[in-house]
Amino acid sequence: QVQLAESGGGSVQAGGSLSLSCVATGVDWDRYCMLWFRQAPGKEREGVAAIGSDSDTTYADSVKGRFTISKFNAKNTLYLRMNTLKPEDTGMYYCAAVATYHCYLLDPDKFVYGYWGQGTQVTVSS
């Protein structure tokens, strides 16, 4: 059974940095696409970054050059390093896992084997 648990959220001033972690148990790292999403109050959920089983990465235009997604398979952990944070980065950040080799900013809800974590809050003040 796949379980995802995020941590590392918090409050930071604009221009600051945060690192998020997601411990993913039950995931076959050779088969899964791992993703970070976020959702701000009153807004739709949006894909932030994705990393495939081959470690190829994809980023939303709004975070390119500022965020870095990475993974450490041996520790069953997915990371999101966020630099130069802006107030518009505020939201609940979710880790997701999808059993697919075709990794991009996809919607896990459209896959049979798509899983979500509970989320961690990131607040950036101006």
Side-chain angles (χ1 to χ4, degrees):
Q1 183 177 355
V2 173
Q3 292 185 320
L4 307 173
E6 304 94 335
S7 62
S11 297
V12 65
Q13 288 191 326
S17 299
L18 280 175
S19 290
L20 306 183
S21 299
C22 171
V23 176
T25 56
V27 167
D28 181 346
W29 292 86
D30 291 330
R31 293 181 54 230
Y32 273 72
C33 172
M34 303 297 295
L35 309 101
W36 287 99
F37 284 80
R38 66 186 180 190
Q39 188 166 21
K43 294 188 177 181
E44 292 189 356
R45 185 180 64 205
E46 64 170 337
V48 173
I51 185 166
S53 57
D54 56 2
S55 296
D56 280 354
T57 57
T58 306
Y59 295 93
D61 288 342
S62 58
V63 306
K64 280 181 182 176
R66 301 189 297 122
F67 289 14
T68 302
I69 188 172
S70 61
K71 59 180 180 172
F72 191 167
N73 294 11
K75 289 190 174 182
N76 294 327
T77 305
L78 177 73
Y79 302 97
L80 185 68
R81 175 66 178 176
M82 305 183 293
N83 294 327
T84 320
L85 283 161
K86 304 175 181 179
E88 51 264 44
D89 294 319
T90 293
M92 187 70 78
Y93 281 69
Y94 298 92
C95 170
V98 178
T100 178
Y101 290 112
H102 304 289
C103 193
Y104 53 99
L105 293 180
L106 46 80
D107 182 351
D109 289 338
K110 294 184 177 179
F111 289 79
V112 173
Y113 298 104
Y115 306 91
W116 292 95
Q118 294 299 307
T120 186
Q121 178 68 35
V122 171
T123 302
V124 184
S125 57
S126 57

